[in-house]
Amino acid sequence: MDLSIDIDLNPDLKEILNNIGESDNVTENLTVILKEFIFIKLEKINKIILEIQEENLRSANISKELMDLSNYPNEKLLLIQEKLLKTLEKLKKFEKQELTEEDYLEIIENFENESEADDIDLFDIHNEDKAQQYKDMKKLESKSIQIYNRKKIAELTTNRILEALNSSELLNMKDLIFKLKIRDMLDARFIQVKLKELERKGLVESKIKMGKKYWRKTK
Amino acid sequence: MKLDVFLLDCLKHLGFGTYLEEDLLNVLIEVLKNRISNLKILELKNKNQNKKEDISPKIKTTQELFKNTIQKKKEFKEFRDKKKRYIEQSNNLAKIVFFGLKIPEKEIQEKLIDISNSSLANYKYNTYNAFREKLKEKMK
């Protein structure tokens, strides 16, 4: 069964195609180019997957609970990889003229199905910028997890404030901020309120020296 | 020129899946880019190993091909934008005429789209939809 279709290809394009493929037969040239293209894409995808895996391992050390490792590397990338490998296999078969009628029927079905091409957006990896964006997105994700962890460390509880205070030494606001590793001014304000509350409860005592307020734990 | 359905299908799945020329151009650009970088690496290696083989003319021809391909892609994009603009304009015009003369909107739209298409008749572009129709006819 002849399953070739007549195409009115732009003559310039035909010339470029023949120059790249170095043969007179357009079909032969296109097969070679498509194979080369798939190899390039596979190499890129493998690189991205490896990089993501490495990044995940690094961020997984920070917090294992927060990371769902089963989601990484992205399923979509793996699907694209699988699809490319399948196409490569078929291209090899096509070159050897081993494509069966069943294969062709499958191809025609896929060809008629419009949504098939939209299923997996292969242009995600066509475009290097997009691949870079994807990597940046992943980096941002891991960064946000780190920031979340840091915030978790800086969580202010009564116990932490009491631990930071000493019963013998008097500490002012600056010392406390330094000891509790506070970066946000709102947190500093929160400590002031908390100290007032603790003072009322009798857990902390305060003294004013040279116009500055100092605190220490009650003995 | 005849092309196997299998190759068309491959192109469709490796590209955007709308225009054959665009997908083909993208594939060609990628392959040429890769070839140029590979040739440059080879040239450096040859220099380091003091080999006499000169690859620079090969690099030049590939670079020229690359430039041509990118130029073609630009032309293709321009044509697509032009076509889009023509259709939009004709649609707007159709609406104006429809309100003014009370002629059925559909009729005017069809006529105007025909005019816009004929003015762009010099350009040729292949959509996969057209091939699908051809294929369906063949399967009958």
Side-chain angles (χ1 to χ4, degrees), chain A residues 3-8 12-13 20 27 30 36 40-41 44 104 107 111 114 116 122-123 126, chain B residues 1-7 12-16 24 26 30-31 34-35 72 126 132 134 138:
Chain A
L3 276 170
S4 49
I5 299 177
D6 278 321
I7 288 169
D8 240 352
D12 297 337
L13 261 180
I20 297 174
T27 312
L30 194 58
E36 205 175 320
I40 297 166
K41 285 295 150 208
K44 267 187 190 168
Y104 265 110
I107 290 160
F111 194 77
E114 276 179 61
E116 187 73 16
L122 272 161
F123 259 80
H126 264 295
Chain B
M1 188 191 100
K2 278 192 168 186
L3 209 61
D4 199 278
V5 182
F6 172 70
L7 288 176
K12 190 185 156 207
H13 286 289
L14 292 173
F16 283 122
L24 186 61
N26 279 323
E30 192 80 3
V31 169
N34 194 50
R35 277 193 191 179
K72 282 279 146 238
N126 295 315
R132 197 178 294 121
K134 273 189 189 179
K138 211 168 197 182

Side-chain angles (χ1 to χ4, degrees), chain B residues 114-127:
Chain B
D114 278 347
I115 296 163
S116 66
N117 278 345
S118 64
S119 63
L120 285 165
N122 294 331
Y123 292 93
K124 269 179 190 170
Y125 73 109
N126 295 315
T127 57

Side-chain angles (χ1 to χ4, degrees), chain A residues 105-113 116, chain B residues 9 12-13:
Chain A
L105 281 174
E106 198 191 316
I107 290 160
I108 290 164
E109 257 177 45
N110 285 343
F111 194 77
E112 287 198 355
N113 188 4
E116 187 73 16
Chain B
D9 189 58
K12 190 185 156 207
H13 286 289

Side-chain angles (χ1 to χ4, degrees), chain B residues 92-103:
Chain B
N92 288 339
L93 214 71
K95 274 175 201 163
I96 294 162
V97 176
F98 169 68
F99 285 119
L101 302 172
K102 292 183 181 175
I103 298 168

Side-chain angles (χ1 to χ4, degrees), chain A residues 18-33:
Chain A
N18 285 347
N19 279 333
I20 297 174
E22 290 161 4
S23 155
D24 296 331
N25 193 339
V26 179
T27 312
E28 254 179 51
N29 287 338
L30 194 58
T31 332
V32 172
I33 287 160

Side-chain angles (χ1 to χ4, degrees), chain A:
Chain A
M1 188 164 59
D2 177 30
L3 276 170
S4 49
I5 299 177
D6 278 321
I7 288 169
D8 240 352
L9 197 68
N10 189 318
D12 297 337
L13 261 180
K14 210 171 159 183
E15 204 187 307
I16 294 171
L17 194 68
N18 285 347
N19 279 333
I20 297 174
E22 290 161 4
S23 155
D24 296 331
N25 193 339
V26 179
T27 312
E28 254 179 51
N29 287 338
L30 194 58
T31 332
V32 172
I33 287 160
L34 283 177
K35 254 168 81 180
E36 205 175 320
F37 178 77
I38 289 172
F39 276 125
I40 297 166
K41 285 295 150 208
L42 272 176
E43 206 179 318
K44 267 187 190 168
I45 276 205
N46 288 342
K47 255 188 194 174
I48 296 174
I49 288 175
L50 263 177
E51 269 179 42
I52 289 170
Q53 273 174 343
E54 274 173 21
E55 261 172 39
N56 279 341
L57 282 175
R58 250 179 270 145
S59 45
N61 286 334
I62 300 162
S63 152
K64 277 178 185 167
E65 299 154 19
L66 281 166
M67 297 286 293
D68 183 16
L69 283 170
S70 59
N71 285 339
Y72 302 88
N74 198 306
E75 283 170 12
K76 201 175 166 188
L77 276 175
L78 289 176
L79 270 175
I80 295 169
Q81 193 190 29
E82 201 186 303
K83 193 151 195 169
L84 282 172
L85 282 170
K86 260 188 192 175
T87 322
L88 188 68
E89 259 178 48
K90 277 188 181 172
L91 264 169
K92 279 177 186 169
K93 264 189 179 179
F94 176 74
E95 260 188 321
K96 290 176 191 167
Q97 294 183 333
E98 283 175 356
L99 275 181
T100 56
E101 252 184 56
E102 279 175 13
D103 286 326
Y104 265 110
L105 281 174
E106 198 191 316
I107 290 160
I108 290 164
E109 257 177 45
N110 285 343
F111 194 77
E112 287 198 355
N113 188 4
E114 276 179 61
S115 61
E116 187 73 16
D118 309 327
D119 257 353
I120 302 162
D121 185 9
L122 272 161
F123 259 80
D124 266 2
I125 45 156
H126 264 295
N127 197 336
E128 279 182 15
D129 295 340
K130 271 195 178 177
Q132 194 57 42
Q133 267 177 21
Y134 185 77
K135 266 194 257 169
D136 291 347
M137 205 180 74
K138 286 279 153 201
K139 268 184 193 169
L140 260 177
E141 258 178 37
S142 63
K143 253 189 192 175
S144 62
I145 288 164
Q146 280 178 29
I147 290 164
Y148 178 78
N149 283 347
R150 229 182 281 148
K151 272 190 180 170
K152 215 177 168 186
I153 292 163
E155 213 169 88
L156 297 162
T157 55
T158 318
N159 280 341
R160 270 197 73 210
I161 296 167
L162 284 173
E163 271 170 30
L165 286 166
N166 214 324
S167 56
S168 56
E169 220 182 338
L170 280 165
L171 295 174
N172 69 0
M173 204 57 210
K174 238 185 193 177
D175 300 329
L176 268 173
I177 285 171
F178 186 71
K179 256 195 164 178
L180 291 166
K181 291 173 187 167
I182 289 164
R183 281 172 193 167
D184 197 352
M185 279 317 288
L186 280 172
D187 283 348
R189 186 87 194 107
F190 173 72
I191 283 184
Q192 273 181 333
V193 176
K194 201 87 183 162
L195 280 168
K196 264 187 193 172
E197 191 191 315
L198 290 171
E199 210 181 328
R200 226 187 312 120
K201 283 179 185 171
L203 293 165
V204 169
E205 43 181 44
S206 67
K207 268 184 183 177
I208 297 171
K209 271 185 187 178
M210 309 277 285
K212 270 187 181 176
K213 213 171 183 183
Y214 290 82
W215 287 275
R216 73 172 170 206
K217 233 194 255 179
T218 44
K219 284 173 187 173

